[in-house]
Amino acid sequence: MSSHGDPIPMTSLACGALSGTADVPGDKSISHRSLILGALSVGETTITGLLEGQDVLDTARAMRAFGAEVTDHGGGNWSVHGVGVGGFAEPEQVIDCGNSGTGVRLIMGAMATSPISATFTGDASLNKRPMARVTDPLALFGCAAVGRAGGRLPMTLVGAADPVPVRYVVPVPSAQVKSAVLLAGLNAPGETVVIEAEATRDHTERMLAGFGAEISTEVTDEGRVITLKGQPELVPQHIEVPRDPSSAAFPACAALIVPGSDVLVPTIGLNPTRAGLYETLREMGADLTYENLREEGGEPVADLRARFSPDLVGIEVPADRAASMIDEYPVLSVVASFARGKTHMPGVKELRVKESDRIDAMATGLRAAGVTVEDGPDWWTVTGLGHGNVPGGVTCASHLDHRIAMSFLVMGMATQKPMSVDDGGPIATSFPIFEPLMAALGADVRRSAG
Ligand code: S3P
């Protein structure tokens, strides 16, 4: 089932060379944060290039429920009239975050230090995901949470009336947890300190600084020590959301595996906390080049050119690179199927608690499609068959997970027989223009199975 309607079965058939320019939509992480930080500022934040995927639309709706005025001006242009740090109103209704772990966890953080209560829910996927990783540190500020067994949604948070600042060592590599603590720290007096052993995406830190908060990051033996001074007045901003490197991965990886392809994906963020996939693909022998390297909105960007790569080889993906490519393992496992030899991916326990258990979802589909996959609790290995040798010809379950659906559809562009997914509906959460964009490049993705 898709989160917002009937299932949409889709099939991808082998296609000719992919070519052209792939203008992928705005970054999902930055889009959520633009709306939330806009809502926590006093005055009007304007946003261009907002990702209008369902996940972000659900966050926009939530920000309205907390009292911000959020306006869609069309064409990716939005404005948020914020209520200021500590200014959230108590929502009258349950906050439904749909499929979005980022949305719900960041919003929980943003409300946890205000004297209001809110009840959160989501779709069948989100309601299975662990929330204690966020509510545990929020409890240190004085916020109480009551949910279902195992810290699952639906869940009610009672924000701290008299919050205290917190020093917290994040126990799992998670930008969502780090961000929830920092957003809660905004309305606590004094300094909130978050320490992460492994660097995760740093958009919250960069954007908080941009909105005028006093925030610093020091790299020490403990890891990255992030210090935020509480109770700032956040100053509204104009934000140009860069394109999403995680969405760019789909047309780029498709180009690598479809013979003759040559695809340009313009203005891709090269923030090192997000760019691990591209480094990995190059090590596998991918023909990927960065053109027109430049800086936009404080982030390094380039145009990414991906060409068919006939001699891909399996590699050992360093475990310490996992956080910088955590959302890209599903599509990497597809590319690995077309490489020669084993691609071993250790240090990826977090993949088991995403929109689906991504190791299990991909391993099941890849095996059915004729690829050998071994897996353990925090690792998996794909033994590639080389170009032209991957059978395909199966229907895979997407488990309400956009990236699983898109990965199998990319795979079908180069398998011997078509690949289908039971439900492509979730693709709309992060990449609503996936179908027309891939069709314009020359892909043959159809609605309906078989
Ligand atoms: C995100 C953080 C990551 C990532 C997700 C977006 C964010 O999740 O998988 O798609 O915007 O902070 P974790 O924090 O669970 O690693």
Side-chain angles (χ1 to χ4, degrees):
M1 281 272 292
S2 61
S3 50
H4 294 267
D6 291 334
I8 303 172
M10 289 187 191
T11 296
S12 174
L13 292 84
C15 55
L18 299 170
S19 69
T21 300
D23 283 324
V24 302
D27 189 273
K28 182 155 72 72
S29 294
I30 295 175
S31 294
H32 282 295
R33 288 160 172 81
S34 301
L35 293 168
I36 295 169
L37 290 176
L40 293 171
S41 305
V42 180
E44 187 162 85
T45 286
T46 52
I47 309 167
T48 60
L50 188 85
L51 167 64
E52 292 174 344
Q54 191 57 48
D55 279 8
V56 176
L57 298 179
D58 287 337
T59 289
R61 198 159 39 109
M63 289 303 98
R64 290 190 186 109
F66 282 100
E69 215 175 280
V70 183
T71 310
D72 174 4
H73 300 283
N77 299 308
W78 289 64
S79 61
V80 184
H81 201 96
V83 293
V85 168
F88 271 5
E90 186 163 271
E92 288 172 14
Q93 302 290 342
V94 170
I95 303 295
D96 186 347
C97 289
N99 191 249
S100 182
T102 307
V104 74
R105 292 181 175 131
L106 267 55
I107 296 167
M108 282 177 168
M111 63 124 318
T113 46
S114 292
I116 54 172
S117 297
T119 301
F120 296 90
T121 193
D123 69 5
S125 156
L126 189 58
N127 287 1
K128 276 189 221 150
R129 298 179 66 185
M131 294 298 144
R133 54 176 53 201
V134 169
T135 55
D136 285 352
L138 296 184
L140 305 174
F141 288 96
C143 170
V146 183
R148 287 191 305 132
R152 298 322 200 244
L153 301 179
M155 180 175 276
T156 297
L157 263 62
V158 182
D162 203 2
V164 291
V166 153
R167 182 180 175 87
Y168 189 67
V169 181
V170 184
V172 285
S174 167
Q176 293 173 359
V177 175
K178 169 179 68 176
S179 302
V181 177
L182 289 171
L183 292 173
L186 280 176
N187 200 35
E191 286 186 342
T192 285
V193 180
V194 187
I195 300 155
E196 58 176 5
E198 281 177 54
T200 64
R201 66 192 68 195
D202 60 358
H203 306 302
T204 302
E205 297 94 300
R206 286 174 188 249
M207 292 178 75
L208 276 171
F211 276 83
E214 260 183 59
I215 181 165
S216 62
T217 301
E218 209 188 333
V219 180
T220 71
D221 291 348
E222 264 185 302
R224 284 154 49 95
V225 180
I226 305 151
T227 305
L228 171 73
K229 190 152 183 273
Q231 299 180 322
E233 179 162 318
L234 296 183
V235 183
Q237 297 296 300
H238 173 68
I239 299 169
E240 287 174 22
V241 179
R243 298 178 195 277
D244 197 325
S246 299
S247 297
F250 295 101
C253 287
L256 301 181
I257 62 172
V258 175
S261 297
D262 185 348
V263 168
L264 189 71
V265 198
T267 329
I268 289 311
L270 294 181
N271 179 325
T273 62
R274 295 287 297 279
L277 172 73
Y278 300 109
E279 205 175 338
T280 301
L281 291 171
R282 280 177 161 176
E283 289 172 10
M284 295 173 75
D287 186 350
L288 277 177
T289 48
Y290 292 133
E291 298 178 355
N292 196 12
L293 268 162
R294 59 204 185 273
E295 193 158 298
E296 279 185 19
E299 298 264 355
V301 298
D303 304 331
L304 177 70
R305 187 155 186 187
R307 296 185 185 88
F308 174 59
S309 302
D311 300 315
L312 294 169
V313 289
I315 62 159
E316 169 83 19
V317 183
D320 65 6
R321 195 182 288 163
S324 69
M325 53 180 286
I326 195 66
D327 290 335
E328 283 67 74
Y329 282 94
V331 77
L332 174 64
S333 71
V334 168
V335 176
S337 304
F338 293 87
R340 293 214 169 268
K342 285 182 191 284
T343 295
H344 180 52
M345 298 168 276
V348 292
K349 192 165 70 195
E350 281 295 301
L351 289 181
R352 298 217 178 263
V353 290
K354 295 293 178 187
E355 285 84 331
S356 67
D357 176 338
R358 285 183 170 163
I359 297 178
D360 192 57
M362 288 308 300
T364 304
L366 291 176
R367 285 176 189 133
V371 179
T372 301
V373 184
E374 297 150 87
D375 72 295
D378 69 344
W379 62 270
W380 50 325
T381 303
V382 173
T383 304
L385 295 166
H387 281 292
N389 301 328
V390 184
V394 292
T395 299
C396 302
S398 55
H399 296 283
L400 287 177
D401 189 332
H402 51 136
R403 299 198 203 282
I404 300 300
M406 287 187 279
S407 295
F408 285 127
L409 293 173
V410 164
M411 186 173 180
M413 294 172 198
T415 43
Q416 292 167 347
K417 291 190 189 144
M419 291 290 292
S420 299
V421 292
D422 63 344
D423 185 10
I427 293 171
T429 61
S430 71
F431 200 158
I433 59 164
F434 176 79
E435 291 168 84
L437 182 145
M438 292 308 307
L441 296 176
D444 186 357
V445 176
R446 304 176 187 176
R447 290 197 175 199
S448 85

